[in-house]
Amino acid sequence: NKGLKSQLINRPYKLVVSYDFTSSDNGEHRFELNKPLKDVVSVKLQKAFISGTTSSNLSGIDYFILHIDELSKNYGDNTTNKFASSFAILDNHMVADNSGSGSKNYYKNVFNENGDIEYFDPPKNVLARLNVKLFKDNNSLNDKTLTLRLELLIETKEKLKVY
């Protein structure tokens, strides 16, 4: 009897961050990780959501462009759009009527639809923060009141034995 079979994988870390943007944030926020991660080989965006109420005046915004200074995988053309060097696009998913309290706009990006992942070769020495810039579909920095939530899976060179 050989017992349980095991294999070594890159250690994954789940990172979940959320921030309530206001018009005074100029579309920028810095997330400081409570534990810097060393030797990062990939960062996968599992889920990203934006929500805002009617009073946020998100109507007419088809998508948001997510820039993360430490993660810039997308290419774009040479025009003034913000797609180049962005990490992900969050598309307008739906507008929900919250019966009496106004409607709410939802934007989303999920991995099984968008496939947003950044690989590092050689591995990134350390990931200690995420400097986020959020652009509206007209390429201007976000000036709306809204909530951004990101769920990331970060793999490091560190090995983990799984059975």
Side-chain angles (χ1 to χ4, degrees):
N1 183 1
K2 295 185 179 185
L4 292 174
K5 296 201 185 278
S6 65
Q7 67 177 1
L8 290 176
I9 64 167
N10 291 334
R11 179 176 290 278
Y13 291 90
K14 175 87 174 220
L15 174 65
V16 180
V17 294
S18 180
Y19 184 70
D20 294 326
F21 281 91
T22 65
S23 57
S24 62
D25 291 317
N26 296 320
E28 299 184 29
H29 180 70
R30 173 183 283 181
F31 294 104
E32 294 284 344
L33 279 58
N34 60 337
K35 174 186 173 187
L37 299 173
K38 295 180 179 174
D39 296 322
V40 174
V41 295
S42 69
V43 178
K44 174 194 227 179
L45 181 62
Q46 291 184 307
K47 297 178 191 173
F49 296 101
I50 289 175
S51 61
T53 61
T54 305
S55 61
S56 300
N57 193 23
L58 299 181
S59 63
I61 299 175
D62 292 328
Y63 57 87
F64 284 91
I65 303 169
L66 177 66
H67 276 247
I68 300 176
D69 291 350
E70 297 75 13
L71 312 169
S72 55
K73 66 170 193 53
N74 289 338
Y75 291 91
D77 57 19
N78 288 326
T79 62
T80 59
N81 72 51
K82 300 296 182 184
F83 294 125
S85 299
S86 67
F87 181 62
I89 310 301
L90 283 79
D91 293 307
N92 191 340
H93 175 59
M94 70 176 181
V95 178
D97 184 7
N98 291 341
S99 38
S101 61
S103 62
K104 199 166 192 172
N105 292 61
Y106 294 95
Y107 299 80
K108 78 170 187 170
N109 176 309
V110 292
F111 186 78
N112 65 345
E113 293 176 6
N114 301 87
D116 289 311
I117 188 167
E118 170 98 14
Y119 294 100
F120 299 99
D121 184 17
K124 188 173 189 65
N125 288 338
V126 66
L127 185 62
R129 68 192 51 83
L130 298 175
N131 291 293
V132 171
K133 291 184 185 94
L134 194 59
F135 292 90
K136 298 181 292 187
D137 60 359
N138 67 1
N139 298 311
S140 64
L141 279 165
N142 174 61
D143 59 355
K144 306 295 184 183
T145 300
L146 52 83
T147 299
L148 170 68
R149 187 181 86 218
L150 304 174
E151 296 182 22
L152 301 157
L153 188 66
I154 302 170
E155 281 190 23
T156 64
K157 253 181 21 178
E158 180 184 355
K159 296 301 180 191
L160 175 68
K161 186 184 281 190
V162 293
Y163 297 90

